[in-house]
């Protein structure tokens, strides 16, 4: 590789590393495994070593990744929280120890002991104590500046608020979530059809970096302390001594710490931790080798990013073979049908794996998966297990091709995959799997606007079996609603009144509430104005619908397919029987003076809300848009109009004051 190629490759790798570091450290949502990230860093580090003229201070090989999240107070660390140099083979560990031994001989160091500890997979934090009292806690951030998470740290039960001695002290620890707690969290999220946490490290980081400490308090966080950053009035000779002292003060220190004197002992300790890794209650991604003598540490010093007195051995991701016994499909709250692999149970990285998501139809085709295949499962650290390989050479010929279902496995409604989407969805509006989400949308403010019928009340009604479909909202009795709350009669009467009031809503609200894919409030108003009642709309063909301005062929097809469903027909009949209005209440007028004109509303109006002004424009045949473009005809600007007004002025678009708008519509 010549210099030009090396420079281009280094720049490309830096971009990749920076992107994935941001996803990992700042967003707590990694897109690749730790191992894949480490390999990118190794490639970058090796290239920079080979071509040192291209090394930059901005490279993540030279500095700690991570930034302060918006909303947190910045904390400058009195002692920097550095990261460790990673190695990936025992040969690299030997090279490191050889260099340390040479330094020890040069400086006549007698204590040549080392401590091998588990590298806990969590989020690093510094805890500061004044006269034995916890006064501040901060995340690592970029090593020099972190986030003040004092209130969040105080929710961790294993952290002492007051030490047994009145001492000034800064310690560093790793915040984590145990394997069992992590599995319970994801199990609960799966049952609630919520997005699963990718791994325990990011679950812990996301929990600690919450702006609301009440959310943090609900998460099962724990911490192990592994280092003294600063201490006043005490002196220690060794790291081992420090950890023993911290334990006596009441801290939970890293539980696995093995004292070693030789390379052979270090190698045994690393292997032992690796062998016991599956049985540990917490996740690890390596073993840390540290120089024990604290004076020798001072001699060895640090680089800008890493201490020279420690190195982290990273274990390779664990892979196991198993059998793909079956593929079943689950239906989420939004109607997405997700294929799930049922596996012959196999233990990987400390957890027994019996199932894993296959994401969608495309994933199955890309992997060329068949039911009965021998597959390779990977679970790097605590990452959610995934199928990484199919052992095609082990096929017997009895394997079976999988096809996505044509109907919903829960309710039997048609399952469709729309053009341009990876997901297959259930189209049934009464599907039990979708019912909670559909109910929440149906009663929401922009839809039927049933005040008082919030998510918690809906969940209780479903749990007690008081509603089994959307139309059941209108059959609820005062007594049934009152049973949800202690002394709930007043609440029940208010909710009954709100439910009855919603029966009188305009047709456009009902169309919005039905949750037709791609049909929002704006399209609902257009459809209500055009068809005047739900029966006319339900009979409209997609060709006819697609000719309506702002509808288009994709939305038209979605509308037609929705109204052809048996569940839709059944629901509309039930709503009619309950007395829900299915007709447009808008008076038909001949005044289309604003036809073809596009308005953008910005700033605060005195006499109208933006919604009221938009309704007036639409009744007069005009359209509203949320963004200014060359197609915009008018911008109605109120007080404190911002960037939209500036853009309109630059484009030479007519700006209307509220008075000019009133003159226009008078």
């Amino acid at each position: 590789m010549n210099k030009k190629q090396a420079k281009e490759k280094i720049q490309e790798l830096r971009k990749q590393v920076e992107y994935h570091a941001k996803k990992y450290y700042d967003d707590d949502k990694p897109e690749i495994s730790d191992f894949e990230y480490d390999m990118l860093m190794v490639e970058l580090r090796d290239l920079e070593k080979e071509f040192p003229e291209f090394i930059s201070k901005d490279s993540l090989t030279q500095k700690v990744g991570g930034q302060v999240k918006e909303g947190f107070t910045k904390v400058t660390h009195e002692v920097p929280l550095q990261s460790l140099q990673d190695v990936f083979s025992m040969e690299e560990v030997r090279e490191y120890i050889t260099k340390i031994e040479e330094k020890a001989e040069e400086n006549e160091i007698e204590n040549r002991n080392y401590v091998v500890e588990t590298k806990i997979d969590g989020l690093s934090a510094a805890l500061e104590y004044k006269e034995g009292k916890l006064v501040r806690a901060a995340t690592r951030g970029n090593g020099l500046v972190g986030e003040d998470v004092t209130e969040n740290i105080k929710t961790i039960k294993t952290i002492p608020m007051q030490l047994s001695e009145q001492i000034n002290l800064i310690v560093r620890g790793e915040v984590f979530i145990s394997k069992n707690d992590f599995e319970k969290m994801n199990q609960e999220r799966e049952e609630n059809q919520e997005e699963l946490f990718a791994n325990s490290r990011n679950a812990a980081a996301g929990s600690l970096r919450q702006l609301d400490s009440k959310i943090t308090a609900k998460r099962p966080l724990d911490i192990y302390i592994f280092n003294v950053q600063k201490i006043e009035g005490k002196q220690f000779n060794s790291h081992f001594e420090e950890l023993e002292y911290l334990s006596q003060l009441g801290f939970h220190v890293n539980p696995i710490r093995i004292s070693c004197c030789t390379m052979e002992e270090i190698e045994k300790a690393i292997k032992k931790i690796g062998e016991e890794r599956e049985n540990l209650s917490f996740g690890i991604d390596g073993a840390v080798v540290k120089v024990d003598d604290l004076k020798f540490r001072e001699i060895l010093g640090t680089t800008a990013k890493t201490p020279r007195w420690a190195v982290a051995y990273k274990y390779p991701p664990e892979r196991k073979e198993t059998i793909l016994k079956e593929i079943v499909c689950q239906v989420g709250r939004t109607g997405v049908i997700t294929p799930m692999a049922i596996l012959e149970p196999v233990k990987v990285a400390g957890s027994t794996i019996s199932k894993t998501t296959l994401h969608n139809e495309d994933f199955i085709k890309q992997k060329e998966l068949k039911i009965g295949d021998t597959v390779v499962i990977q679970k790097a650290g605590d990452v959610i297990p995934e199928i990484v390989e199919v052992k095609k050479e082990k096929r017997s010929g009895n394997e079976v091709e999988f096809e996505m279902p044509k109907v919903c496995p829960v309710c039997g409604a048609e399952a469709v995959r729309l053009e341009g989407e990876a997901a297959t969805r259930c189209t049934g509006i009464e599907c039990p799997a979708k019912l909670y989400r559909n109910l929440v949308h149906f009663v929401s403010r922009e839809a039927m606007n049933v005040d008082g019928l919030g998510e918690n009340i809906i969940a209780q009604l479903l749990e007690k079996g008081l509603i089994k479909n959307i139309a059941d909202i209108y059959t609820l009795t005062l007594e049934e609603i009152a049973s949800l709350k202690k002394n709930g009669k007043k609440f029940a009467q208010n909710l009954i009144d709100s439910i009855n009031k919603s029966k009188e809503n305009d047709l456009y609200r009902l169309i919005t509430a039905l949750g037709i894919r791609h049909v929002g409030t704006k399209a609902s108003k257009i459809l209500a104005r055009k068809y005047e009642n739900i029966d006319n709309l339900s009979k409209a063909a997609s060709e006819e619908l697609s000719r309506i301005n702002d509808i288009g062929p994709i939305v038209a097809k979605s509308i037609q397919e929705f109204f052809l469903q048996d569940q839709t027909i059944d629901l509309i009949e039930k709503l009619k029987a309950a007395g829900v209005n299915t007709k447009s209440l808008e008076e038909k007028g001949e005044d289309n003076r604003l036809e073809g004109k596009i308005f953008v509303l910005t700033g605060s109006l005195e006499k109208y809300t933006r919604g009221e002004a938009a309704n007036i424009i639409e009744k007069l045949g005009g359209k509203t848009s949320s963004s200014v473009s060359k197609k915009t005809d008018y911008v109605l600007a109120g007080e404190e109009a911002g960037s939209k007004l500036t853009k309109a002025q630059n484009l030479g678009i007519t700006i209307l004051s509220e008075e000019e708008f009133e003159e226009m519509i008078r």
Side-chain angles (χ1 to χ4, degrees), residues 211-255:
L211 294 173
D212 184 355
S213 59
K214 290 176 185 174
I215 297 173
T216 306
K218 293 176 183 176
R219 304 282 173 83
L221 294 175
D222 204 342
I223 188 170
Y224 282 140
I225 305 300
F226 61 81
N227 206 56
V228 172
Q229 297 294 97
K230 182 182 178 182
I231 190 167
E232 294 179 9
K234 292 270 182 184
Q235 279 197 328
F236 299 95
N237 295 317
S238 74
H239 174 62
F240 220 90
E241 274 182 55
E242 282 184 332
L243 294 182
E244 290 298 318
Y245 174 69
L246 292 179
S247 185
Q248 290 166 19
L249 284 179
F251 290 108
H252 283 205
V253 299
N254 196 334

Side-chain angles (χ1 to χ4, degrees), residues 118-155:
T118 48
K119 187 175 185 296
I120 301 160
D121 200 11
L123 179 73
S124 203
L127 279 58
E128 184 178 352
Y129 288 80
K130 293 287 186 187
E131 296 183 359
K133 184 181 179 182
L134 178 64
V135 294
R136 191 164 66 172
T139 61
R140 183 175 71 173
N142 62 11
L144 300 173
V145 179
E147 301 150 333
D148 191 324
V149 288
T150 309
E151 294 308 309
N152 293 356
I153 279 283
K154 286 179 178 178
T155 67

